[in-house]
Amino acid sequence: MESVMSKYENQITIFTDYLEEFPDTDELVWILGKQHLLKTEKSKLLSDISARLWFTYRRKFSPIGGTGPSSDAGWGCMLRCGQMMLAQALICRHLGRDWNWEKQKEQPKEYQRILQCFLDRKDCCYSIHQMAQMGVGEGKSIGEWFGPNTVAQVLKKLALFDEWNSLAVYVSMDNTVVIEDIKKMCCVLPVGADTVDESPPDSLTASHQSQGPSAPCPAWKPLLLIVPLRLGINQINPVYIEAFKECFKMPQSLGALGGKPNNAYYFIGFLGDELIFLDPHTTQTFVDTSEESGLVDDQTFHCLQSPQRMSILNLDPSVALGFFCKEEKDFDNWCSLVQKEILKENLRMFELVQKHPAHWPPFVPPAKPEVTTTGAEFIDSTEHLEDFDLEEDFEILSVR
C-alpha cells in the first residue's frame, strides 16, 4: 500500500490537453433526465454538466481512523463516484434538478450545507473517512478498492445517521426492485406525529396497500434508489445497451456507477453510443471550511473542462444505476417508465415486482442502531460495525 500511495500522492492530472470536444452533430445529449440539442445548446449543456458536484482524489486530509491513509489516491475512486451520485440526489432534494451553479456566484445556504456533508473530515456524514470505515463492515479494509454494490450498501447505512437530509435508501437485491418494500420504507406518519421519523406501523402499511397503488402515503420520505446490476460476464451484453441508455432519460435519473476494473467513473449521460462521465482520478489538496466565513471554497468541486466520453461497449458489466424520487408520485412515475421502457425487452436489465417475493427473507426497513453517540463517533471505532448485517458484495468489478 505504501508504494501505491507514494505513486499517487503527488499526482495532479489535467485533462484539458486530451479531452475531445463534442462532435458537430444534430443528435440529442441526455444528462440526468434532461436533453440538450448539441448543435444549438452546447454552452447550456456544459453549464449543466459543470453544475454537478465533482469529487476527486484528495490528499493531506487527517489520517483515516487516526493512523490510516491521508490520501485516497489509487483506491478511493468508487467512493468518490458514490459521493457524486448521492450529492446529486441531495441537490435534487433541496435545490431541484433545474438548479444551476455559476463560478463565484453566491449560492443558497442549502448548497453549502450539502457540500459540507462530503468534506474529508471524520465528522462529515459522507466523508471519505466515514465511507472507508463503514466499508469495514462490508468486508473491505481501509484503503481497499470498492465495487458499485459495496458503495451502495455503505451509503444506505450512513444515511441512517443523516437526519437533515432524511433519505430512505433502497438497494435492490438479485436485480429486482420490490414496490411493496419501497412503499413500506418511504411511507411515514405525517409531520407532528410522535413517530414521524420511524417506519409506519404494520396497520398503516396494510391499510395503504389495501387501497391500491393510487392511494397516497400520509407522508413520503425522499427515496434514493440504487440498482446494482451485472450486465454481462466479462463485457457488457449489447442486448442491454438501449435499456441502459433509457435510464439516463428518466427525470429521476442519478446516473450510474461503474467503469473499468479498479477504475471507477460517475456516468451522467450519453451521446449516441458514448457515455458521458465525471472522472475522479485527479488528486487535489484537501479543502476545509473557511474559519473566517464558515463557507467552503467550492472552485475545486466542479469540473470546468469538457467532460470525458467512452464507448458504452467498453463499460465493465458491473454497474449500479441511481434514481431519486422526492415524492411518491415521482416513484409511481418511475415505475411506469420502467414498465414501458425496461420491462418490454425480452432479456430484461432488471425486474420490477409489486409484492415481496415469498422465498426472500421478510423485508425490514433499515433502522439506526441503538447507540448513544453520533453517527460520526459511532463508526469512528470499527469494533461496533458488527451491529450492521454484512451484505454480500456480489456485484463488484472483476480484478484483472
Side-chain angles (χ1 to χ4, degrees), residues 82 146 229 253 291 394:
F146 283 30
L229 299 170
S253 175
E291 293 184 3
F394 62 93

Side-chain angles (χ1 to χ4, degrees), residues 248-259:
F248 292 97
K249 297 181 180 181
M250 297 177 180
Q252 301 85 0
S253 175
L254 295 176
L257 308 178

Side-chain angles (χ1 to χ4, degrees), residues 118-178:
F118 299 93
L119 295 182
D120 299 318
R121 301 182 345 199
K122 69 175 185 179
D123 59 342
C124 295
C125 54
Y126 301 112
S127 67
I128 196 75
H129 298 67
Q130 297 283 28
M131 295 183 72
Q133 295 216 199
M134 188 61 83
V136 174
E138 295 294 316
K140 296 291 183 181
S141 301
I142 293 173
E144 186 176 353
W145 198 84
F146 283 30
N149 187 60
T150 309
V151 168
Q153 301 297 344
V154 164
L155 293 178
K156 180 175 74 172
K157 291 169 182 176
L158 288 178
L160 298 173
F161 299 98
D162 179 12
E163 295 182 0
W164 176 55
N165 292 300
S166 188
L167 293 181
V169 181
Y170 178 93
V171 182
S172 65
M173 287 178 51
D174 295 342
N175 294 359
T176 303
V177 176
V178 183

Side-chain angles (χ1 to χ4, degrees), residues 44-311:
K44 185 178 176 183
L45 165 65
L46 295 176
S47 176
D48 189 23
I49 294 171
S50 67
R52 304 313 113 213
L53 282 173
W54 179 48
F55 297 121
T56 71
Y57 291 151
R58 295 276 172 172
R59 56 192 174 98
K60 298 185 178 180
F61 50 69
S62 62
I64 297 174
T67 59
S70 58
S71 173
D72 62 312
W75 60 271
C77 53
M78 186 62 82
L79 283 76
R80 297 302 186 179
C81 291
Q83 287 180 326
M84 286 189 267
M85 177 179 280
L86 176 58
Q88 179 60 24
L90 300 187
I91 284 174
C92 290
R93 185 197 186 319
H94 296 287
L95 304 174
R97 174 62 184 89
D98 292 332
W99 170 83
N100 216 336
W101 174 83
E102 292 182 31
K103 190 175 181 179
Q104 297 179 332
K105 179 182 177 182
E106 184 177 352
Q107 299 296 337
K109 64 181 186 299
E110 292 88 354
Y111 166 79
Q112 277 285 328
R113 194 166 178 184
I114 291 169
L115 195 52
Q116 290 174 15
C117 290
F118 299 93
L119 295 182
D120 299 318
R121 301 182 345 199
K122 69 175 185 179
D123 59 342
C124 295
C125 54
Y126 301 112
S127 67
I128 196 75
H129 298 67
Q130 297 283 28
M131 295 183 72
Q133 295 216 199
M134 188 61 83
V136 174
E138 295 294 316
K140 296 291 183 181
S141 301
I142 293 173
E144 186 176 353
W145 198 84
F146 283 30
N149 187 60
T150 309
V151 168
Q153 301 297 344
V154 164
L155 293 178
K156 180 175 74 172
K157 291 169 182 176
L158 288 178
L160 298 173
F161 299 98
D162 179 12
E163 295 182 0
W164 176 55
N165 292 300
S166 188
L167 293 181
V169 181
Y170 178 93
V171 182
S172 65
M173 287 178 51
D174 295 342
N175 294 359
T176 303
V177 176
V178 183
I179 296 173
E180 178 183 56
D181 294 347
I182 289 176
K183 297 266 183 169
K184 183 177 182 181
M185 183 169 64
C186 293
C187 288
V188 296
L189 292 174
V191 175
D194 292 338
T195 53
V196 62
D197 287 324
E198 299 176 4
S199 299
D202 291 341
S203 58
L204 175 60
T205 305
S207 172
H208 171 72
Q209 291 169 355
S210 66
Q211 296 173 40
S214 60
C217 291
W220 178 265
K221 199 169 186 178
L223 170 67
L224 169 56
L225 168 58
I226 304 178
V227 186
L229 299 170
R230 188 154 191 99
L231 303 178
I233 300 176
N234 295 318
Q235 59 187 29
I236 189 169
N237 187 331
V239 74
Y240 296 120
I241 287 178
E242 290 307 314
F244 187 74
K245 288 161 58 175
E246 282 295 329
C247 292
F248 292 97
K249 297 181 180 181
M250 297 177 180
Q252 301 85 0
S253 175
L254 295 176
L257 308 178
K260 301 173 183 178
N262 292 337
N263 210 20
Y265 305 128
Y266 175 42
F267 296 98
I268 58 173
F270 72 91
L271 167 63
D273 285 330
E274 289 186 318
L275 296 174
I276 299 169
F277 62 92
L278 296 178
D279 189 339
H281 300 91
T282 296
T283 305
Q284 303 185 93
T285 303
F286 162 64
V287 173
D288 203 352
T289 306
S290 166
E291 293 184 3
E292 295 181 2
S293 66
L295 301 177
V296 179
D297 183 350
D298 65 351
Q299 300 304 303
T300 63
F301 292 99
H302 294 270
C303 185
L304 301 180
Q305 296 92 18
S306 295
Q308 296 198 79
R309 308 193 308 278
M310 66 177 278
S311 169

